Amino acid sequence: MQQWRLTRTRQGRMPEALWRAAVSAAQRYGVSHVARALGVGHAGLKARTSAAPPPGRQAGAAARPDGFVEVSAAQLLAPVPAANLVIEYVAREGGRLTLTVPASCQGFDVLALVAALRGP
């Protein structure tokens, strides 16, 4: 951004590539912080950010409802392996929880654990 401002020869609109980068940063860090850091208009950045697809999704991609947990039937119905069972839960906000369940735990209820992690 700063290099563009220093090297441009005339007044004009900011290039779309820079707007896309600013929108991506705003989706991650917030419109106010990014607008202030880059010296762009808050209202313009907010409008572009609101119109952009959510981060991590491409336009037209199938959207998953919030709280979606993907578990295959093979994982749920397979016999408990002789080794430890490792479950990794990744929250929407990016937090991770890794649980190691010893093979000695018989009848471990994976569905109950997923329901507890998702919350109400």
Side-chain angles (χ1 to χ4, degrees):
M1 177 76 69
Q2 187 176 14
Q3 183 178 358
W4 170 74
R5 285 192 171 129
L6 293 174
T7 58
R8 68 184 177 160
T9 56
R10 61 184 173 90
Q11 292 282 355
R13 294 183 179 265
M14 191 165 80
E16 282 302 313
L18 291 178
W19 274 118
R20 284 192 299 274
V23 166
S24 177
Q27 287 175 324
R28 184 168 183 178
Y29 301 108
V31 173
S32 295
H33 293 295
V34 173
R36 191 171 31 252
L38 298 180
V40 298
H42 183 276
L45 181 57
K46 184 174 182 178
R48 286 176 179 262
T49 303
S50 297
R57 291 187 186 160
Q58 296 179 3
R64 291 182 177 167
D66 286 341
F68 177 81
V69 176
E70 184 174 356
V71 180
S72 73
Q75 291 170 313
L76 293 174
L77 301 176
V80 177
N84 292 340
L85 172 66
V86 177
I87 299 171
E88 185 174 271
Y89 177 77
V90 181
R92 279 177 266 153
E93 299 80 24
R96 291 178 177 262
L97 172 66
T98 303
L99 300 171
T100 303
V101 181
S104 61
C105 290
Q106 297 293 323
F108 181 74
D109 190 352
V110 175
L111 292 177
L113 173 65
V114 169
L117 290 172
R118 286 180 59 192

